[in-house]
Amino acid sequence: DVDGGDKDAKYPYSMMLRICCYNMSKSEYRELAKRICTELEQNGYLGDQQLFDAALNFWSGNDDTTLHFLENEESRMCAKNAHITRTPSTYCAFIRHSMKRNNLSKALLNISEAMTIISDRDDNLFRVIFRAYCHFKLHSQSLELLKECMSRFADNRYVIKYGIFSLIKTYVECKRYDEILEIVLNADDATHGIFELCFTQQWITYDSI
């Protein structure tokens, strides 16, 4: 674990890895992240949950990461550190990696597991799941997730707004234009009238589209 005099290093390391993830398309950021992960491993810092999740999220977006690398790293770290577990951030990494590898079955498995621990505070995990449904063109699953969000997490406007946009995008990607118009414009008990929710409550204004 990162403790004692090394405790202060946790936040800077995790922030640097996050910045590298946001700039993954640039080779200099990928190289920096690789060096950081190597240093974390050499110093035994990957036994810390926060740093381990940060490393996983970098590896999940790196083209050089092999198919089973994340699972192998997780197994190795869990064997050495009993407190390492799967957090919402961990699931973000696994689902993102499944998308990058176009592995539908693995994505659905991780989404199923993630939904057992997800809470209204896990905005990023919701976003990644919606993105996965769009990536794999799973329009029905996207609609069911939005319905669940509107039922369980109605106060989280960010998640519902993102879910609405993602739902529309997913149906368009699937070329189901008439169906998405029907869903958006006509109220039912499950969706509570998505169009009305967006515009009459001013969650989404015309100027923001």
Side-chain angles (χ1 to χ4, degrees):
D1 292 348
V2 181
D3 53 20
D6 296 324
K7 188 175 183 180
D8 291 339
K10 181 193 301 188
Y11 182 73
Y13 272 129
S14 61
M15 282 302 299
M16 284 193 291
L17 281 174
R18 184 176 300 178
I19 292 169
C20 290
C21 288
Y22 290 151
N23 294 275
M24 190 73 74
S25 61
K26 300 178 180 178
S27 60
E28 57 268 32
Y29 284 94
R30 293 196 301 273
E31 289 305 313
L32 175 59
K34 289 178 184 178
R35 290 177 57 187
I36 292 172
C37 289
T38 299
E39 185 171 335
L40 291 175
E41 172 68 19
Q42 290 174 346
N43 288 281
Y45 289 177
L46 286 182
D48 177 85
Q49 183 76 56
Q50 181 180 335
L51 291 175
F52 180 64
D53 283 340
L56 279 182
N57 275 283
F58 161 67
W59 289 325
S60 70
N62 189 356
D63 290 334
D64 297 333
T65 302
T66 57
L67 181 60
H68 300 292
F69 180 81
L70 266 63
E71 289 90 342
N72 293 339
E73 279 298 298
E74 181 189 38
S75 297
R76 189 172 67 85
M77 293 310 300
C78 287
K80 295 168 61 177
N81 304 275
H83 60 277
I84 292 289
T85 186
R86 288 195 172 187
T87 67
S89 182
T90 312
Y91 281 111
C92 284
F94 277 103
I95 295 168
R96 191 179 297 113
H97 187 56
S98 299
M99 283 191 283
K100 203 164 189 63
R101 292 291 176 176
N102 284 313
N103 191 327
L104 174 59
S105 61
K106 185 67 71 174
L108 292 177
L109 176 62
N110 284 305
I111 290 171
S112 177
E113 291 180 8
M115 290 303 296
T116 65
I117 67 165
I118 204 165
S119 75
D120 61 347
R121 299 185 301 275
D122 298 323
D123 294 358
N124 196 43
L125 182 53
F126 277 113
R127 185 171 60 85
V128 170
I129 294 174
F130 273 117
R131 283 181 55 206
Y133 286 153
C134 186
H135 175 83
F136 291 110
K137 298 184 178 180
L138 302 175
H139 57 90
S140 297
Q141 288 87 336
S142 184
L143 177 59
E144 289 306 311
L145 178 58
L146 180 58
K147 289 179 180 178
E148 183 167 359
C149 289
M150 297 175 79
S151 172
R152 293 175 56 194
F153 310 117
D155 293 333
N156 192 328
R157 293 189 176 190
Y158 171 83
V159 166
I160 294 179
K161 284 197 295 184
Y162 186 89
I164 290 169
F165 279 123
S166 183
L167 177 74
I168 294 171
K169 181 179 178 181
T170 302
Y171 270 77
V172 170
E173 290 284 337
C174 296
K175 302 188 187 314
R176 294 177 174 268
Y177 313 119
D178 292 340
E179 291 179 49
I180 191 58
L181 284 172
E182 178 72 17
I183 291 168
V184 172
L185 297 177
N186 295 319
D188 62 32
D189 291 338
T191 57
H192 313 298
I194 294 175
F195 184 88
E196 181 180 2
L197 186 67
C198 292
F199 293 99
T200 62
Q201 295 191 25
Q202 295 185 334
W203 284 21
I204 303 172
T205 65
Y206 289 102
D207 292 338
S208 68
I209 299 179

